[in-house]
Amino acid sequence: MHIQFPSKPTLPRACWEGRITAGSPGMPPHETETELVPQSSDKTLYCEAEPPPTVEKVKPARENSETDLEIEDNEKFFTTGQKELYLEACKLVGVVPVSYFIRNMEESYVNLNHHGLGPRGTKAIAIALVSNTAVTKLELEDNCIMEEGVLSLVEMLQENYYLQEMNISNNHLGLEGARIISDFFERNSSSIWNLELSGNDFKEESAAPLCQALSTNYRIKKLDLSHNQFSDIGGEQLGQMLAINVGLTSLDLSWNNFHTRGAVALCNGLRGNVTLTKLDLSMNGLGNEGAVALGEVLRLNSCLVYLDVGGNDIGNEGASKISKGLESNESLRVLKLFLNPISMDGAILLILAIKRNPKSRMEELDISNVLVSEQFMKTLDGVYAVHPQLDVVFKAVQGLSAKKTIFLLTNPMKLIQNYADQHKITVMDFFKSLNPTGTMKMSVDEFQKVMIEQTKVPLNQYQVREVIKKLDEKTGMVNFSFLNTMKL
């Protein structure tokens, strides 16, 4: 079985459970007729083309394929582009074409979220994508594609090696959909590295096939399983998978039902994991006992860079356990603990743990629901002196005097403008003077550090954060080049 993709796309005469028949040679494309062929199976995608016996073309060698898709290149067939192929597919399966897809099917990014495709509309999209070489990222969230639609997609992925990112969240896939996806990724080496499966009614029994596939498939780097219904049994399955997986770098498990048992199992798997850098466990129920396991992970794991455990009922006791891990951790940069019942006492334990670790790389500690005191601020200033790259996000400062409040909230760009006016330079000159290379751009990390350390215009951490918001290009870089035209 083989498929040839000619230099000029050729429309198959029959596509997936149906037959499209061209008339006599020279017949215009719009005069074709559609004749349905009986389906041999509800789950088989079938595409057949029968060239006239008088024409023979030699096909180049191609890898064997397990699908039933076949596209023949024949000079006596009318040739057509991707648009016409999609329109014929829609006619075949009996759906209205999506105009957005027609306009964007030659772009690398196609967003078909919330288009009400259903299983048949998804099949038409899949048919058109079999030979598409342009689309690398496909969004199909909230289209009620169900198991029939996901079957069409995995059949397409057996032939399309250009598609790399796919979002099929909120599509009611359920257990059968999880099995279809798992079977495919367990035996097939597609090019998909980013897969979003959020909100697909995956319950405990869906965890086993998914984890089995991920135990052998190392091509998937980013996986979103948030807003599902995994609980402690699912946590045990995922923990076992993480212990042996060497592909995943980002895993989103937020808004599930993990509790202490599941949290401990996940953390056991993370102890030896050497590839995962980002983990989102927010909005679960880890509690203080789960925080004990998290603290141990932070002590032993040297890969995690980003950890979100917001909304997990972690109190001061749990914060104390996490702080023990922060004292020796050398990789974590972002720790989010918002919406946990942590008071100022727990917050102090966390920042002092970072201060005691000279090799800490922490850049952001999010405790944005914690109300702190001026004494906390003095302690935090001492932490900033050791780790100027750190940004601690909290709710507010209790009992702060009016004078200090004004200092904290003064527009930092106005302060910089005043300095520039006094020294008869431009604001852009001020920023360029802070850059060792003298260029218009700096990384956010480097810029934050020099802004805290510079003494020309003393700024606190909160003011530096405001400056970064104005200059950040959302690419990890700050840009000074537009400051000449910027109204401060």
Side-chain angles (χ1 to χ4, degrees):
M1 181 63 212
H2 60 272
I3 293 182
Q4 178 186 0
F5 298 111
S7 56
K8 230 179 176 183
T10 303
L11 180 67
R13 295 182 64 201
C15 287
W16 298 12
E17 299 179 358
R19 177 167 297 161
I20 302 171
T21 306
S24 58
M27 175 185 289
H30 65 272
E31 295 183 10
T32 61
E33 298 177 355
T34 301
E35 176 189 349
L36 296 181
V37 175
Q39 300 179 11
S40 58
S41 169
D42 291 339
K43 297 183 178 180
T44 302
L45 303 180
Y46 183 68
C47 185
E48 175 189 1
E50 301 174 358
T54 57
V55 178
E56 292 185 2
K57 292 184 73 71
V58 178
K59 298 181 184 178
R62 189 175 174 87
E63 293 182 1
N64 290 334
S65 169
E66 295 181 0
T67 68
D68 293 327
L69 304 176
E70 183 174 337
I71 299 178
E72 300 283 356
D73 179 18
N74 191 288
E75 292 177 353
K76 289 198 174 183
F77 291 166
F78 63 88
T79 59
T80 186
Q82 293 285 310
K83 173 183 175 182
E84 286 76 12
L85 174 58
Y86 173 58
L87 292 175
E88 290 294 339
C90 289
K91 185 188 300 183
L92 179 68
V93 300
V95 296
V96 177
V98 179
S99 59
Y100 171 87
F101 183 58
I102 294 173
R103 293 194 305 270
N104 293 275
M105 61 197 314
E106 295 301 327
E107 301 295 328
S108 61
Y109 172 67
V110 173
N111 186 338
L112 289 168
N113 294 341
H114 322 298
H115 272 71
L117 296 176
R120 290 189 299 165
T122 303
K123 175 182 266 190
I125 297 290
I127 291 173
L129 289 175
V130 167
S131 58
N132 185 290
T133 61
V135 179
T136 59
K137 183 173 182 179
L138 177 64
E139 301 260 12
L140 290 172
E141 181 175 350
D142 182 29
N143 276 289
C144 200
I145 71 175
M146 297 187 286
E147 60 188 72
E148 297 92 339
V150 82
L151 182 62
S152 298
L153 292 173
V154 299
E155 291 277 1
M156 174 269 294
L157 288 174
Q158 293 185 50
E159 305 300 333
N160 184 321
Y161 285 87
Y162 294 89
L163 193 60
Q164 300 176 29
E165 302 178 72
M166 187 166 69
N167 178 7
I168 48 176
S169 299
N170 299 303
N171 275 298
H172 307 288
L173 302 186
L175 176 59
E176 188 57 34
R179 285 173 175 164
I180 292 170
I181 293 169
S182 302
D183 288 345
F184 172 72
F185 283 106
E186 185 176 3
R187 61 184 169 81
N188 193 284
S189 57
S190 76
S191 297
I192 297 290
W193 62 267
N194 181 4
L195 183 61
E196 297 181 51
L197 296 170
S198 175
N200 271 307
D201 305 322
F202 292 156
K203 300 180 181 179
E204 294 286 56
E205 59 268 25
S206 298
L210 288 169
C211 290
Q212 183 175 342
L214 291 167
S215 296
T216 56
N217 185 309
Y218 302 148
R219 287 179 178 265
I220 296 178
K221 304 298 180 185
K222 188 175 180 181
L223 179 64
D224 184 352
L225 290 171
S226 63
H227 291 269
N228 282 295
Q229 299 171 46
F230 297 123
S231 189
D232 289 339
I233 296 175
E236 291 176 347
Q237 299 277 357
L238 288 161
Q240 294 170 13
M241 178 273 294
L242 286 173
I244 59 177
N245 179 280
V246 291
L248 281 174
T249 60
S250 175
L251 179 60
D252 188 347
L253 294 173
S254 61
W255 293 92
N256 276 280
N257 298 312
F258 300 117
H259 296 281
T260 301
R261 178 179 156 195
V264 170
L266 281 167
C267 291
N268 286 339
L270 284 171
R271 289 186 183 188
N273 187 282
V274 294
T275 57
L276 195 71
T277 60
K278 183 176 181 179
L279 177 63
D280 189 343
L281 284 170
S282 61
M283 304 305 169
N284 280 282
L286 307 188
N288 288 328
E289 293 183 24
V292 174
L294 284 173
E296 189 67 8
V297 166
L298 292 177
R299 188 178 70 84
L300 299 173
N301 183 285
S302 59
C303 289
L304 271 180
V305 173
Y306 178 106
L307 176 61
D308 188 345
V309 285
N312 268 284
D313 198 28
I314 296 172
N316 289 342
E317 181 184 346
S320 173
K321 302 301 181 181
I322 291 174
S323 67
K324 295 294 183 183
L326 292 177
E327 288 182 2
S328 56
N329 184 278
E330 299 179 17
S331 64
L332 195 68
R333 298 189 181 189
V334 177
L335 175 59
K336 291 186 176 291
L337 284 162
F338 67 98
L339 294 180
N340 281 298
I342 296 174
S343 71
M344 188 171 59
D345 292 338
I348 288 177
L349 291 174
L350 292 165
I351 63 172
L352 288 179
I354 297 171
K355 183 179 181 180
R356 285 192 290 267
N357 182 358
K359 295 184 178 181
S360 174
R361 302 182 69 186
M362 282 289 295
E363 296 174 1
E364 180 183 343
L365 174 62
D366 186 348
I367 47 172
S368 49
N369 60 301
V370 178
L371 193 63
V372 301
S373 67
E374 289 192 57
Q375 183 60 44
F376 176 90
M377 296 298 298
K378 291 178 181 179
T379 304
L380 186 57
D381 286 340
V383 179
Y384 286 154
V386 178
H387 297 289
Q389 80 283 356
L390 178 65
D391 183 13
V392 178
V393 185
F394 49 83
K395 184 176 182 180
V397 182
Q398 280 180 317
L400 197 63
S401 66
K403 183 177 179 181
K404 288 188 177 181
T405 301
I406 291 173
F407 170 71
L408 286 175
L409 300 179
T410 300
N411 187 333
M413 296 302 287
K414 286 186 178 180
L415 296 176
I416 295 170
Q417 181 70 70
N418 291 339
Y419 174 87
D421 292 343
Q422 291 171 10
H423 291 79
K424 297 181 180 180
I425 61 174
T426 66
V427 173
M428 189 169 64
D429 290 334
F430 168 78
F431 285 115
K432 285 179 64 178
S433 69
L434 301 178
N435 190 349
T437 64
T439 60
M440 298 290 189
K441 290 188 177 184
M442 292 178 69
S443 70
V444 170
D445 295 344
E446 187 178 5
F447 178 76
Q448 185 176 34
K449 184 176 181 180
V450 299
M451 284 299 293
I452 291 293
E453 293 177 346
Q454 59 86 28
T455 57
K456 297 176 182 179
V457 184
L459 300 175
N460 58 52
Q461 191 75 21
Y462 325 102
Q463 292 168 320
V464 171
R465 191 189 309 151
E466 289 302 311
V467 174
I468 291 174
K469 286 180 182 178
K470 291 183 180 295
L471 302 180
D472 189 4
E473 292 187 312
K474 306 302 180 185
T475 60
M477 302 292 290
V478 292
N479 189 348
F480 319 138
S481 61
F482 63 88
L483 284 169
N484 280 340
T485 58
M486 180 179 176
K487 185 177 180 180
L488 303 180

